[in-house]
């Protein structure tokens, strides 16, 4: 997930460029850390030093369930396990073990900022805890619907909610 500075088509293009670069480096076999460093270097070489995009990447080992989060200026990520929701920020633990039925919820800063509360991460945890579904698409949609209630139905910034669920096979 990437969030370009500002909003609208320019921010979208910037985010797409960042994601495209990281994806290409990963497909070429580079580690996540190296791919992110190379993306930063490529942006600087391109003269894009006045562009600031966040990077929020979750790498999940599907055999062990270990998830590693890479957050560069990104908003909090939330792990929903049953009725409990854990908030992971760039200052907190960035590696966690996922279990069958766990949801990973990633959001851009616009989602949290426009809750207009003192502790938006706490409010988001409560929102996620209150939603009962086993469908990540429905979870993301319901989160966005609740956030839009806080904004009066208008988004002043780009807002993205990405939800994924882990199921044991």
């Amino acid at each position: 997930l990437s969030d370009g500075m500002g909003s609208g088509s320019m921010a979208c293009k910037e985010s797409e460029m960042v994601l495209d670069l990281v994806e290409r480096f990963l497909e070429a076999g580079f580690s996540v850390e190296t791919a992110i460093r190379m993306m930063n270097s490529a942006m600087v070489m391109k003269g894009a030093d006045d562009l600031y995009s966040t990077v929020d990447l979750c790498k999940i080992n599907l055999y062990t369930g270990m998830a590693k989060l890479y957050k560069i200026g990104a908003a909090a990520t939330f792990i929903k396990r049953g009725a409990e929701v854990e908030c992971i920020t760039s200052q907190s633990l960035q590696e966690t073990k996922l279990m069958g039925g766990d949801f990973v919820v990633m959001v851009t800063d616009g989602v949290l900022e426009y809750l207009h509360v003192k502790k938006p991460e706490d409010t988001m945890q409560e929102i996620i805890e209150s939603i009962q579904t086993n469908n990540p698409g429905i979870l993301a949609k319901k989160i966005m619907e609740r956030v839009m209630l806080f904004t009066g139905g208008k988004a002043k910034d780009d807002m993205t909610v990405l939800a994924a669920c882990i199921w044991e096979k």
Side-chain angles (χ1 to χ4, degrees):
L1 188 65
S2 178
D3 185 19
M5 191 163 115
S7 62
S9 63
M10 288 301 290
C12 180
K13 286 179 185 176
E14 183 182 326
S15 298
E16 287 175 350
M17 182 171 50
V18 166
L19 291 175
D20 184 54
L21 280 171
V22 171
E23 187 175 342
R24 286 176 189 230
F25 291 136
L26 292 173
E27 286 173 349
F30 292 101
S31 70
V32 173
E33 295 87 351
T34 301
I36 291 171
R37 277 197 304 275
M38 290 172 66
M39 178 273 305
N40 279 332
S41 296
M43 296 288 281
V44 169
M45 288 176 63
K46 218 174 179 174
D49 52 309
D50 61 333
L51 301 177
Y52 302 98
S53 287
T54 64
V55 175
D56 200 357
L57 194 143
C58 180
K59 177 181 174 184
I60 302 171
N61 182 320
L62 297 177
Y63 295 104
T64 65
M66 289 305 296
K68 188 164 183 184
L69 292 131
Y70 301 85
K71 303 180 100 30
I72 300 166
T77 294
F78 301 88
I79 308 293
K80 178 178 170 102
R81 179 171 291 135
E84 302 284 319
V85 176
E86 176 186 4
C87 176
I88 300 173
T89 63
S90 59
Q91 292 82 29
S92 66
L93 174 69
Q94 293 186 20
E95 194 167 28
T96 188
K97 180 156 177 75
L98 299 174
M99 315 262 201
D102 286 357
F103 285 91
V104 177
V105 179
M106 301 167 88
V107 299
T108 56
D109 63 350
V111 174
L112 294 177
E113 287 174 8
Y114 290 98
L115 289 174
H116 300 293
V117 294
K118 277 188 176 179
K119 296 182 177 180
E121 288 84 2
D122 293 349
T123 301
M124 182 57 67
Q125 279 182 274
E126 292 169 9
I127 289 170
I128 295 170
E129 286 171 354
S130 72
I131 299 170
Q132 302 303 312
T133 183
N134 63 357
N135 183 311
I138 290 172
L139 178 62
K141 182 179 182 207
K142 287 185 181 260
I143 290 169
M144 188 62 81
E145 287 171 354
R146 300 264 179 93
V147 170
M148 293 305 286
L149 293 175
F150 284 83
T151 69
K154 297 187 186 220
K156 296 179 183 174
D157 189 8
D158 298 326
M159 299 166 70
T160 302
V161 176
L162 185 144
C165 188
I166 305 302
W167 287 287
E168 286 188 47
K169 190 170 182 180

